[in-house]
């Protein structure tokens, strides 16, 4: 069980960090360019080119760092940890950002203003995006790493981590809402 948690956390790190990097880097031009659909913003001012680009880059670079650390960390925790081919790293990082963007699209369509909470979707949008994108870009790595038990742990573990990290970011004044 601890092995599963270690692999799930490690494999998802390049998908966890981009959204937090985007919070720090966000600002500038919104992706939707101010466009609206049915009287509401397509995505809103919270989804910017800069936040998306920096978030993706940080996730991909983190994966490279994890590749270097993998042998030492694996030895220390006694668990076989995966390394990230570039396609998988891009899938995890870009997919996380796209999942979050997709959720904003759904939020606007359901009348939720920027920053509004969308329970469950807020906690799992980037997981769905990361898994789908990684499966598309490197299917062999995806199926070898994200076995059904690992995916199960990811789905349970991620909301817990998400609530905790966003709570901390909120208390530190880095984020406007604690979700
Ligand atoms: N951010 C960004 N680009 C992204 C994602 C996030 O610039 N692709 C930045 C924005 O400054 C955003 C902040 O990170 O306001 C917090 O992200 P998030 O909570 O996802 O956005 P919200 O502002 O809450 O907007 P939404 O309701 O659309 O989720
Ligand atoms: Mg938000
Ligand atoms: K979000």
């Amino acid at each position: 069980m601890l092995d599963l948690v270690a692999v799930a956390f490690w494999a998802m790190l390049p998908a966890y960090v981009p959204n937090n990097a985007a919070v720090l880097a966000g600002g500038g031009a919104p992706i939707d360019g101010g466009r609206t659909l049915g009287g509401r913003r397509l995505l809103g001012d919270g989804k910017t080119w800069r936040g998306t680009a920096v978030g993706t880059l940080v996730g991909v670079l983190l994966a490279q760092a994890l590749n270097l650390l993998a042998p030492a960390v694996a030895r220390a925790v006694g668990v076989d940890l995966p390394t990230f081919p570039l396609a998988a790293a891009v899938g995890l990082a870009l997919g996380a950002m796209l999942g979050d963007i997709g959720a904003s699209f759904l939020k606007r369509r359901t009348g939720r203003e920027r920053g509004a909470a969308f329970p469950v979707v807020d906690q799992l949008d980037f997981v769905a995006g990361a898994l789908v994108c990684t499966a598309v870009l490197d299917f062999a790595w995806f199926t070898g790493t994200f076995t059904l038990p690992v995916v199960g742990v990811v789905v349970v573990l991620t909301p817990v981590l998400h609530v905790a990290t966003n709570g901390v970011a909120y208390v530190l004044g880095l984020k406007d809402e604690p979700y």
Side-chain angles (χ1 to χ4, degrees):
M1 184 67 203
L2 224 72
D3 289 26
L4 280 180
V5 174
V7 170
F9 179 70
W10 179 270
M12 284 300 287
L13 267 176
Y16 286 156
V17 172
N19 288 290
N20 299 303
V23 172
L24 299 178
I31 294 170
D32 68 8
R35 274 181 282 274
T36 58
L37 180 66
R40 293 185 178 277
R41 286 287 293 276
L42 205 57
L43 301 173
D45 284 332
K47 306 297 120 148
T48 68
W49 289 110
R50 193 168 80 205
T52 307
V54 172
T56 303
L57 192 69
V58 167
V60 171
L61 291 177
L62 173 69
Q64 310 313 310
L66 294 179
N67 284 345
L68 298 176
L69 295 173
V73 177
R75 231 177 296 119
V77 297
V79 177
D80 203 16
L81 296 171
T83 53
F84 304 90
L86 187 60
V90 172
L92 289 165
L94 181 62
M97 298 306 308
L98 292 179
D100 175 61
I101 289 169
S104 288
F105 180 81
L106 288 180
K107 284 186 184 179
R108 301 301 94 84
R109 304 290 74 73
T110 54
R112 292 173 168 81
E113 299 297 341
R114 175 189 178 181
F118 199 170
V120 184
V121 173
D122 275 331
Q123 281 75 44
L124 288 171
D125 52 12
F126 58 104
V127 171
L131 294 183
V132 169
C133 225
T134 307
V136 168
L137 291 181
D138 194 339
F139 190 69
W141 185 87
F142 174 79
T143 51
T145 306
F146 289 102
T147 59
L148 216 55
V150 172
V151 172
V153 171
V154 167
V155 168
V156 174
L157 180 72
T158 304
V160 177
L161 290 173
H162 188 265
V163 168
T165 51
N166 283 317
V168 170
Y170 175 70
V171 169
L172 292 178
L174 299 172
K175 211 169 183 298
D176 293 337
E177 311 90 18
Y179 41 77

